[in-house]
Amino acid sequence: MKEFIRDKWLYLMMLPGVAYFLIFKYVPMYGLIMAFQDYKPHLGFMESPWVGLKHFERFFSEPQFGMLFRNTIIIAIYNLVFFFPLPIILSLMMNELRRERFKRFVQTLIYIPHFVSWVVVVGIFYMLLTTENGILNELIYAISGKKIAFLLEPEWFRTMIISQSIWKEVGWGTIIFLAALSGVDMQLYEAVRIDGAGRWRQLWHITLPAIRSTIIILMILRLGNFLDSGFEHIFLMVTPTNREVGEVFDTYVYTKGLTQAQYSYSAAVGLFKSAIGLVLVLGSNWLAKRFGQEGVY
């Protein structure tokens, strides 16, 4: 009690975060029982009939399951391979900047896209890529004499999704890595410079080991959202012509749950996604500990 009274202001500052997770993360988990019910809003959770694994069996037997799983996995792998390393690389590049005023200017410039909504981002790309007076398409037409239907052709869909994610979020992703880099002891750099190490040696032997634990923890947390493709982003980009490569679990849940009122079925799909994320987090955390690295817990 004495420690609680002594640190009362710290606990008070913690309350909004605790309240957020309780209200928006833990309390809604009670609704997962819908996945095992034939949920009826007028009956509620307690009175709706139980159906066991019926909705999971239906989901796995759906003809669309293979397409949804393939599209979600491919976009998730693209994000992991192309998007995740870029904030690290950009942070390392910015850490080499010596003029603080220029460094702060660059940071501000790359943070701004994060605050732009996906509606605006997709609108900007539409203005650039549409075949009807799109700026980039007009330039391509002036050079080659033909236009490319970026927004309609399926082969361009995933490239545009990853490109938009990189443009919008890669700058914001550097915040944690730059914070980790700011804690590196500068005496270590001075010591290796005395030993004759160049910039690449300093990067390899000092900088990267200093942020290795941060990279591993963020990778583990990223795997927890591995199948979250970003509903709003995908939904705005999907068209009837690219649906075969663009339809993912998130948009499928929206279609079945909200537009068709199949609440229990969509809850089962969401629970399936969450279960995979949990397995990936537990597995990656175990591997990190196995190789002597810090895990999330």
Side-chain angles (χ1 to χ4, degrees):
M1 182 58 67
K2 289 181 180 179
E3 292 179 353
F4 179 81
I5 294 173
R6 184 191 64 194
D7 299 327
K8 59 181 179 297
W9 298 114
L10 293 177
Y11 287 110
L12 186 63
M13 291 174 63
M14 188 176 68
L15 277 179
V18 173
Y20 168 79
F21 278 96
L22 284 176
I23 295 171
F24 296 105
K25 301 296 182 180
Y26 287 96
V27 172
M29 290 178 68
Y30 177 72
L32 289 176
I33 62 174
M34 280 196 303
F36 306 96
Q37 296 176 322
D38 187 8
Y39 177 73
K40 306 293 183 184
H42 64 280
L43 295 177
F45 292 120
M46 303 307 297
E47 300 296 331
S48 295
W50 288 84
V51 295
L53 300 177
K54 171 186 172 182
H55 300 298
F56 294 94
E57 293 172 356
R58 174 192 165 188
F59 177 53
F60 296 140
S61 61
E62 283 277 1
Q64 293 177 301
F65 175 77
M67 177 197 72
L68 293 169
F69 190 78
R70 181 181 65 252
N71 293 343
T72 305
I73 287 292
I74 290 175
I75 292 176
I77 291 174
Y78 279 16
N79 272 314
L80 202 62
V81 172
F82 296 108
F83 176 80
F84 183 78
L86 286 179
I88 304 171
I89 296 171
L90 186 57
S91 300
L92 294 173
M93 293 171 64
M94 292 181 62
N95 191 55
E96 296 298 317
L97 296 176
R98 293 294 174 256
R99 295 186 179 181
E100 285 299 321
R101 183 173 296 181
F102 179 68
K103 184 177 180 179
R104 287 196 295 268
F105 171 76
V106 173
Q107 283 179 284
T108 303
L109 199 63
I110 63 176
Y111 291 166
I112 290 175
H114 170 76
F115 300 99
V116 179
S117 71
W118 279 117
V119 176
V120 176
V121 172
V122 172
I124 292 172
F125 272 73
Y126 179 84
M127 293 174 60
L128 291 173
L129 302 176
T130 180
T131 54
E132 300 177 1
N133 300 319
I135 298 173
L136 184 58
N137 249 318
E138 290 297 327
L139 181 61
I140 294 173
Y141 181 76
I143 297 173
S144 64
K146 61 179 180 179
K147 296 184 178 181
I148 302 174
F150 293 103
L151 302 172
L152 300 177
E153 295 182 2
E155 58 266 26
W156 288 101
F157 179 81
R158 291 163 185 157
T159 302
M160 287 192 297
I161 290 294
I162 302 304
S163 300
Q164 291 167 2
S165 297
I166 290 173
W167 180 81
K168 187 176 187 296
E169 299 295 346
V170 71
W172 189 255
T174 62
I175 291 178
I176 295 178
F177 296 110
L178 287 173
L181 288 171
S182 66
V184 181
D185 190 352
M186 298 305 296
Q187 293 181 355
L188 295 175
Y189 291 107
E190 294 175 4
V192 296
R193 277 197 294 267
I194 292 174
D195 291 335
R199 301 301 283 269
W200 285 107
R201 287 289 183 181
Q202 295 174 38
L203 175 68
W204 186 256
H205 293 289
I206 303 296
T207 308
L208 283 177
I211 64 172
R212 181 170 53 200
S213 61
T214 304
I215 294 173
I216 292 172
I217 290 174
L218 289 179
M219 171 65 81
I220 295 172
L221 295 176
R222 182 86 180 181
L223 288 174
N225 298 318
F226 184 69
L227 296 183
D228 290 338
S229 305
F231 162 73
E232 184 181 1
H233 185 196
I234 302 291
F235 183 74
L236 292 168
M237 290 296 296
V238 168
T239 64
T241 58
N242 61 26
R243 189 170 297 278
E244 281 297 318
V245 297
E247 187 81 24
V248 294
F249 289 141
D250 294 329
T251 55
Y252 185 71
V253 167
Y254 167 79
T255 302
K256 295 295 183 181
L258 292 182
T259 64
Q260 299 180 15
Q262 299 182 33
Y263 305 115
S264 294
Y265 180 64
S266 60
V269 179
L271 182 56
F272 168 73
K273 275 182 51 188
S274 300
I276 291 180
L278 177 62
V279 170
L280 289 174
V281 167
L282 295 176
S284 58
N285 191 79
W286 178 81
L287 281 175
K289 292 290 189 68
R290 186 70 181 269
F291 285 99
Q293 302 297 325
E294 291 185 31
V296 175
Y297 58 90

